[in-house]
Amino acid sequence: MTTAKVHSICICAQRGELKKEIPEALFIENFGIQGDGHAGDWGRQVTCLCWESVEKSNAEHGLSMGPGDFAENVAIEGMDVLNLQAGDRFRLGDAAVLEVTQIGKPDHPSVVTRSFGVTLLPFEGRFCRVITGGRVKPGDPVVKL
């Protein structure tokens, strides 16, 4: 059995910018990730993506996209993120609990599409709100609740 883990965590100061990888993040209850432009009192506080989808897209399109390049906050490795449905909850690390609020989003010519010509979030992204806060870093376990 493969243990799911946090592959990477990325943030950007404002919406509409490419995200940058960070070594650790503070997830704040009902807000999002400290320092991220998408944090706030709404349903899309944190965006999650399957790391294997990034690798598959790289192979299919001859790209070398890395953490944050698809505008995801959290890339999860070893868990089928595509099977997460609205209402599902999962824990990152020891404490942070996220709840899926939305699957995908309307596609538009985002900074990702304009920069790289491909996108994943509108189709594969899982948008979440933070139920319980906590510190999370790459390598931390991910457990579906």
Side-chain angles (χ1 to χ4, degrees), residues 53-68:
S53 291
V54 174
E55 292 177 320
K56 180 181 176 188
S57 185
N58 281 339
E60 288 177 355
H61 301 285
L63 299 169
S64 58
M65 306 280 280

Side-chain angles (χ1 to χ4, degrees), residues 54-110:
V54 174
E55 292 177 320
K56 180 181 176 188
S57 185
N58 281 339
E60 288 177 355
H61 301 285
L63 299 169
S64 58
M65 306 280 280
D69 286 344
F70 280 110
E72 80 283 355
N73 289 118
V74 180
I76 298 173
E77 187 174 350
M79 183 170 90
D80 191 357
V81 175
L82 296 177
N83 279 331
L84 292 174
Q85 300 300 313
D88 285 350
R89 291 183 177 194
F90 55 99
R91 185 178 61 241
L92 305 174
D94 294 331
V97 175
L98 304 185
E99 179 180 84
V100 177
T101 57
Q102 183 176 323
I103 298 171
K105 66 176 188 169
D107 194 12
H108 63 85
S110 69

Side-chain angles (χ1 to χ4, degrees), residues 4 11 21 37-38 42 48 54 60 68 73-74 85 89 105 112 115 118 122 125 130 137 143:
I11 63 171
E21 191 171 10
H38 289 85
W42 70 317
C48 297
V54 174
E60 288 177 355
N73 289 118
V74 180
Q85 300 300 313
R89 291 183 177 194
K105 66 176 188 169
V112 175
S115 299
V118 296
V130 180
K137 63 186 179 312
V143 178

Side-chain angles (χ1 to χ4, degrees), residues 7 28-29 36 43 46 54 78 88 95 97 108 113 117-118 121 127 134 139:
H7 179 274
I28 302 169
E29 183 177 325
D36 187 60
V46 177
V54 174
D88 285 350
V97 175
H108 63 85
T113 307
V118 296
L121 287 186
F127 297 90

Side-chain angles (χ1 to χ4, degrees), residues 2 6 10 24 28 35 38-39 55 61 68 79-80 87 106 108 111 116 136 142:
T2 303
V6 175
C10 302
E24 182 179 81
I28 302 169
H38 289 85
E55 292 177 320
H61 301 285
M79 183 170 90
D80 191 357
H108 63 85
V111 64
F116 304 108
V136 180
V142 179

